[in-house]
Amino acid sequence: SWRFSMHSIITLLESILTNIVEVCTIILELFGVAILVSTAVKCFWYWIKHDSKIRLELAQGIALSLEFKMGSEVLRTVIVREWGELGILGVIILLRGILTFLIHWEIKHEEKALALDAKKKS
C-alpha cells in the first residue's frame, strides 16, 4: 500500500516546481541568446551595407534579449531558498534593469538622430 506523508508530498511538489522553473529558466535564457545572436548577425549585415539604422537595430535587439534574461532571473527567484542567493539575484536583476534603462535611453536618442537625418535628406 502507498502511504505518503504530507512532508513527502510537499517534497515531491517542490521537486517538480524546481525542475519546471529550471527548464523554463533555461528556455528563456536560450531565447535571449538567440535574439542577441540573430540581432548581431543582422546588424553585421547592415554594417556591410553601410546602413544607418545599425545602432538602433542593435540596441533594440540587446534590449529585447535583456528582457528575456531578466525574465529568467525573476523566474529563478521562485526556487531560491537562501538570503544570500536572493541577494545575488537581486543584484543581477538590478544590473540588468540599469542596462535595460540605458539601452532604452540610447534607443530614444538614436531614433531622434535618425529622424533628424531623414528631415535633412528631404
Side-chain angles (χ1 to χ4, degrees):
S1 91
W2 290 88
R3 286 183 30 165
F4 289 103
S5 68
M6 186 57 81
H7 177 72
S8 62
I9 292 172
I10 291 172
T11 304
L12 175 64
L13 291 175
E14 282 181 345
S15 176
I16 291 169
L17 177 65
T18 300
N19 289 328
I20 289 170
V21 168
E22 287 176 355
V23 168
C24 291
T25 299
I26 291 169
I27 289 169
L28 286 176
E29 288 178 354
L30 282 172
F31 288 166
V33 168
I35 289 167
L36 187 57
V37 170
S38 66
T39 299
V41 169
K42 182 169 59 171
C43 288
F44 182 72
W45 178 250
Y46 289 158
W47 178 74
I48 290 172
K49 295 183 346 180
H50 301 287
D51 195 326
S52 63
K53 64 182 177 182
I54 184 174
R55 291 176 54 88
L56 180 60
E57 289 285 331
L58 188 56
Q60 288 174 335
I62 291 171
L64 183 58
S65 175
L66 269 172
E67 296 290 336
F68 277 96
K69 297 291 282 175
M70 281 182 49
S72 74
E73 297 300 338
V74 169
L75 192 56
R76 191 172 279 135
T77 63
V78 172
I79 59 172
V80 169
R81 297 286 179 240
E82 296 178 13
W83 283 105
E85 285 181 86
L86 190 59
I88 291 170
L89 276 176
V91 170
I92 290 170
I93 290 170
L94 178 67
L95 289 174
R96 289 188 177 164
I98 291 169
L99 279 172
T100 301
F101 174 78
L102 290 173
I103 290 168
H104 282 289
W105 179 77
E106 182 179 342
I107 288 170
K108 284 182 184 178
H109 286 309
E110 194 61 32
E111 287 173 339
K112 286 179 186 177
L114 287 174
L116 284 174
D117 283 348
K119 280 185 178 180
K120 286 178 184 177
K121 289 180 181 178
S122 60

